[in-house]
Amino acid sequence: MELRLYDTLSREKRTFVPLDPNNVRMYVCGPTVYDFAHIGNARPVIVFDVLFRLLRHLYGEAHVKYVRNITDVDDKINDRAARDFPGLPLNEAIRKVTEQTGKQFHADVDALGALRPSVEPRATEHIGEMREIIERLVAGDFAYVAEDHVLFSPQAMNAANSTLPRYGALSKRSLDEMIAGARVDVAPYKRDATDFVLWKPSKPGEPSWPSPAGIAAPGRPGWHVECSAMAWKHLGEHFDIHGGGIDLVFPHHENEVAQTCCAFHRERMANYWMHNGFLQVESEKMSKSLGNFVTIHELLADWPGEVLRLNMLKTHYHSPIDWTMKSLEESARTLDDWYRLAADVEPGKPAASVVEPLLDDLNTPLAIAALHGLRNGDVSGLAASLRLLGFLSESAARWEGRKQQASGVDAKEVERLISERTAARARKDFKESDRLRDELAAMGVAIKDSKDGTTWEIAR
Ligand code: AMP
Ligand code: ZN
C-alpha cells in the first residue's frame, strides 16, 4: 500500500516517495507565541500529527523527523509585551510573554493528543542561519539593502536565467498581476511594490541583533526568513513535506520557497506542500468582534482533548470545517462508546479498512466511518486503529472518572439516588421512581435499566 498526498504546488494527488526513507522529513509552520492559541490553530497541529503518526507507522519511529517552529520574534509579540507588562524593560516583558504563551501552547496541544515534534526550534535561536541566508541572497543579487532594510526582489528571481522555480508558482499568481494590483502606498525604500522584507532595523529598546549585509544598525528578521532558516538548519536545503494552514500559501510559503531556492540554487524546497482548510464556528468566520473566538484552553475546560481531536478529524483536512456544539456533542458520544468498547482491550494491528483511507491523502472521515464498522467485530483492531489516530490515551475508568469530574456530578450521590429508585420500583412506587429519574436527569445523569440492574452515564 502506498501513501498518496495532495500537493498544493502541482495541484494533484501524488504517490509519496521520500528523498530518504530512513529520514523522512516534514516541516510545519508553528505558532507565533503572543496569545492563547484558538481552535483554528489546533487544526494544523492535529492534522499534521496524524500525518506524523502515519509516517512513523509506515517508515518506523526512528526514521521520521518532524520540525514545527515557534515564532518568538514578531511585532505582535512586542506589542503584547508592552501592553501587558508596561513597567518592565521591553526585552524582559517579551521573554515573559513568549515563555507563558509557549507553555500554554504545549499544555493545549498535549491535551489534544498531539505528539511533540522531533524538534521545536525557536526563531531567536536561529538568527545566525537567517543572516547567512540573507548574505547569500544579497551576494546572488536576489536581495538588496535599502535604508537599513534588506529586501528580497521577486522580479530579480524571475529574471534569473536558471532552474529556479518561478515566483508565484506555489500560489498560482503571476508576478505581473501582483505588480499591477499592488497598493499605491508602498514603503519608499522598496524598489518594487512586490519586494518583501528579509531584515529590518529595530527601534531602540526592541529586540535586535547584529545586522547582515554590512548594515551598521542592529535589526531583526522578517517572518518569512525565519522558517527558511529553521527548516534549513534541521531538515536541509531540500526535504519532503512542508505544511501549514491554507492562509499561509501566500505570501508566507511563496516567500519561503523564494528565499530557500535562491539561497541554495535549488529547484525545490519541499517535494510536497500540504495545506489544511480553514475552521469556522457555527457557520461564521471566527473573530473577536463576532464574539465566537474560542481558544483551545477554553474548550478544554468543557471537553476532553480527544473529543476536540475527533471533532476535527471528522472533516477531511482539505475542506473547510464548521465547528459546532452539535457536532462536539456527537463526537463526545462516539468517544464514550469507543472508550467503553476498546480502551482496555489489548490492541492488535490497525485495521486495513482504517489505514487505507488514511493512505489516500489522510481521508480521516472515511477512516472514522471504518472505525464505526469495527465496533461489532474486530475490537482489538479497533483499539489499535484508534491508537494509531492518537485516541485512547487513557483507561476506560479514568475516562469515565474525568467525565464525571468535569460534569461536577457527585458519583456517590448518584449511586444513592439510584438505589433509592431501585427500592421504589421494587415496592411498585412508580411515582417516586419517576421522580428520582427526573432528579437524576436534572443533574445531567442518564440511567439505563437492564436485566442486570441500572447503569448510568453523564448525558451530554
Ligand atoms: P498563526 O498563529 O495565525 O500564524 O497560525 C498558526 C497556524 O494556524 C497556521 O498554520 C495557520 O494557517 C493556522 N490557522 C490559523 N487560523 C486558522 C483557522 N481558522 N482554521 C484553520 N487553520 C488556521
Ligand atoms: Zn513558516
Side-chain angles (χ1 to χ4, degrees):
M1 284 192 289
E2 54 184 27
L3 172 62
R4 287 163 60 77
L5 297 173
Y6 182 84
D7 170 29
T8 306
L9 177 60
S10 59
R11 295 290 193 276
E12 61 182 4
K13 225 192 276 186
R14 290 190 288 122
T15 299
F16 177 69
V17 184
L19 290 161
D20 174 2
N22 288 314
N23 185 21
V24 180
R25 287 163 288 164
M26 170 164 82
Y27 186 93
V28 174
C29 296
T32 303
V33 281
Y34 69 100
D35 204 351
F36 283 104
H38 59 66
I39 188 62
N41 301 136
R43 195 167 191 198
V45 170
I46 293 172
V47 163
F48 291 103
D49 179 65
V50 170
L51 181 55
F52 182 36
R53 288 170 184 269
L54 184 64
L55 291 170
R56 282 157 51 109
H57 176 71
L58 296 172
Y59 295 94
E61 286 187 12
H63 302 296
V64 184
K65 188 166 181 186
Y66 172 24
V67 179
R68 186 183 62 213
N69 71 291
I70 291 177
T71 295
D72 59 353
V73 44
D74 188 274
D75 290 343
K76 287 190 286 255
I77 299 175
N78 299 352
D79 295 348
R80 182 59 59 105
R83 193 196 79 182
D84 288 359
F85 303 98
L88 285 183
L90 186 60
N91 279 302
E92 223 171 288
I94 286 171
R95 196 163 52 242
K96 273 197 187 298
V97 168
T98 57
E99 271 176 14
Q100 280 173 6
T101 317
K103 271 202 194 118
Q104 185 60 51
F105 179 74
H106 277 143
D108 287 348
V109 301
D110 287 351
L112 295 173
L115 298 172
R116 291 282 177 98
S118 323
V119 190
E120 284 192 280
R122 289 176 172 270
T124 51
E125 289 163 6
H126 296 75
I127 304 287
E129 286 81 2
M130 295 175 206
R131 267 201 303 262
E132 159 115 36
I133 289 178
I134 293 170
E135 297 282 6
R136 283 167 177 254
L137 292 173
V138 172
D141 282 333
F142 297 107
Y144 60 94
V145 176
E147 294 183 23
D148 291 344
H149 291 70
V150 185
L151 294 137
F152 184 96
S153 165
Q155 305 211 53
M157 174 180 175
N158 280 9
N161 194 7
S162 69
T163 54
L164 291 172
R166 205 175 35 76
Y167 186 85
L170 181 68
S171 56
K172 297 281 185 285
R173 288 167 192 237
S174 102
L175 193 49
D176 288 343
E177 277 166 26
M178 286 185 232
I179 295 163
R183 297 201 330 231
V184 263
D185 56 340
V186 176
Y189 47 80
K190 288 189 182 180
R191 282 185 198 158
D192 292 298
T194 48
D195 297 350
F196 64 86
V197 170
L198 297 171
W199 190 267
K200 57 191 166 187
S202 297
K203 295 191 196 81
E206 280 181 348
S208 65
W209 292 266
S211 294
I215 300 169
R220 60 206 158 105
W223 171 39
H224 312 303
V225 78
E226 296 178 11
C227 282
S228 282
M230 290 182 269
W232 172 43
K233 169 75 186 281
H234 297 283
L235 299 177
E237 296 171 7
H238 181 205
F239 50 94
D240 297 301
I241 300 170
H242 193 313
I246 188 85
D247 58 318
L248 299 186
V249 176
F250 189 87
H252 185 53
H253 289 167
E254 193 72 62
N255 291 353
E256 278 189 43
V257 175
Q259 294 158 165
T260 298
C261 292
C262 292
F264 304 113
H265 305 285
R266 287 275 181 182
E267 242 173 284
R268 290 176 154 269
M269 178 184 188
N271 276 354
Y272 301 82
W273 285 87
M274 294 180 66
H275 294 99
N276 63 268
F278 247 46
L279 175 149
Q280 50 177 17
V281 172
E282 305 284 354
S283 304
E284 277 183 327
K285 184 178 169 357
M286 183 166 47
S287 80
K288 288 219 161 102
S289 57
L290 288 172
N292 63 357
F293 183 93
V294 44
T295 64
I296 305 173
H297 183 67
E298 286 163 339
L299 282 165
L300 285 171
D302 293 333
W303 306 93
E306 288 187 16
V307 170
L308 308 182
R309 184 179 180 89
L310 174 61
N311 207 49
M312 202 68 87
L313 296 177
K314 287 197 299 198
T315 305
H316 189 266
Y317 78 89
H318 218 240
S319 311
I321 182 168
D322 192 18
W323 190 264
T324 65
M325 192 54 95
K326 186 165 168 278
S327 169
L328 271 169
E329 284 164 353
E330 206 179 270
S331 300
R333 279 194 296 273
T334 303
L335 264 168
D336 285 347
D337 183 44
W338 285 340
Y339 259 92
R340 253 194 310 266
L341 273 167
D344 298 337
V345 170
E346 188 64 34
K349 265 182 61 172
S353 60
V354 176
V355 177
E356 266 167 35
L358 294 178
L359 292 175
D360 182 17
D361 194 30
L362 295 188
N363 193 334
T364 53
L366 254 191
I368 289 167
L371 289 169
H372 289 303
L374 292 173
R375 66 184 305 295
N376 295 319
D378 177 12
V379 182
S380 72
L382 174 65
S385 308
L386 284 166
R387 285 171 199 279
L388 174 65
L389 282 164
F391 296 109
L392 303 189
S393 61
E394 303 180 14
S395 68
R398 253 207 87 200
W399 176 263
E400 215 27 63
R402 211 153 62 95
K403 230 175 59 187
Q404 285 164 21
Q405 224 177 18
S407 65
V409 166
D410 177 348
K412 278 218 177 83
E413 176 65 3
V414 172
E415 299 291 347
R416 194 184 64 74
L417 291 170
I418 288 178
S419 56
E420 260 187 42
R421 178 174 167 272
T422 308
R425 274 156 55 99
R427 60 175 193 271
K428 300 213 167 5
D429 183 352
F430 295 117
K431 206 169 147 214
E432 175 65 0
S433 80
D434 284 352
R435 190 193 66 75
L436 286 160
R437 175 190 283 267
D438 291 347
E439 188 175 335
L440 285 158
M443 289 164 68
V445 171
I447 56 178
K448 207 153 108 196
D449 298 313
S450 75
K451 61 176 181 1
D452 301 323
T454 302
T455 55
W456 65 279
E457 62 180 18
I458 306 298
R460 297 233 189 231

